[in-house]
Amino acid sequence: DSDEDRDQDGLSDAAELYLTETKFDDQDSDDNGVEDGLEDPDMDTLNNFVEVEQGTNPLIKDTDEDGVDDNDETGLNPLDPDNDDDGVSDGLELDPPIDSGRGATDPNLFDSDGDGLSDGDEVLFGSDPNDVDTDDDFLLDGDDVEVSLLNWDADLDGIPDGIEQFYLNTSPEAD
């Protein structure tokens, strides 16, 4: 029976054999005074019992390898490295590289700033996933991709692209 727990340590015999690599007939496999179910071999502050319950690997700190330890994935699926499917791993959304010049984004939101461009596309194009109008031209980044995402005046006439497009009804694009 896969639910059987012969040593009564809170872990099924199957979990001990295949997941925690502990002895199914010894409550304290390593004889350190802590029952196997309460051990934390990967030192992520989640004991074996919790890891088996939530389906994470009790021997690996970061089961989905997204740069976020299993215990820090509160509100996230610890088995999915990119919870919002925007092309940026949860770890890079929560802790972007210092040299990227951008702040943390929400790993549960496809488009953290709501400008119509996914966080992944913003990283790819070099715009700011936390600023709806990266180049301050009065066009949302999602609307600005076809014009000039990182230049506030695509045709270099001194008038911001959004003003040209929405108020002057002229083309902000260079001829």
Side-chain angles (χ1 to χ4, degrees):
D1 181 10
S2 65
D3 291 332
E4 187 175 2
D5 180 11
R6 290 180 220 187
D7 60 8
Q8 301 296 304
D9 62 1
L11 297 171
S12 71
D13 294 349
E16 292 200 75
L17 280 170
Y18 302 112
L19 301 175
T20 64
E21 299 178 5
T22 52
K23 299 174 188 168
F24 65 86
D25 58 355
D26 185 350
Q27 282 187 340
D28 183 12
S29 296
D30 58 6
D31 296 321
N32 68 349
V34 178
E35 288 186 9
D36 294 340
L38 299 176
E39 295 273 3
D40 181 19
D42 62 6
M43 301 182 353
D44 63 1
T45 72
L46 300 176
N47 64 39
N48 283 336
F49 182 73
V50 171
E51 297 234 35
V52 169
E53 281 282 307
Q54 70 182 23
T56 54
N57 187 328
L59 305 176
I60 299 174
K61 262 184 148 163
D62 179 13
T63 299
D64 59 9
E65 299 178 343
D66 63 356
V68 182
D69 289 353
D70 295 339
N71 67 320
D72 291 330
E73 297 225 36
T74 305
L76 300 172
N77 178 350
L79 302 173
D80 184 352
D82 184 10
N83 276 263
D84 57 11
D85 297 321
D86 63 359
V88 181
S89 74
D90 298 337
L92 288 176
E93 289 209 57
L94 292 169
D95 189 20
I98 293 172
D99 62 353
S100 73
R102 61 183 167 83
T105 53
D106 188 332
N108 284 313
L109 292 176
F110 185 75
D111 176 11
S112 291
D113 60 11
D115 63 2
L117 203 55
S118 75
D119 294 345
D121 284 343
E122 297 231 34
V123 169
L124 180 70
F125 295 138
S127 56
D128 184 345
N130 290 306
D131 185 345
V132 296
D133 183 11
T134 299
D135 61 3
D136 298 321
D137 64 354
F138 303 102
L139 289 175
L140 295 176
D141 288 347
D143 296 331
D144 206 6
V145 173
E146 300 300 320
V147 181
S148 179
L149 187 59
L150 301 176
N151 182 354
W152 68 274
D153 182 15
D155 59 7
L156 305 175
D157 64 0
I159 302 170
D161 296 336
I163 300 295
E164 285 191 71
Q165 185 169 338
F166 294 117
Y167 297 101
L168 300 177
N169 293 318
T170 58
S171 174
E173 298 180 52
D175 294 325

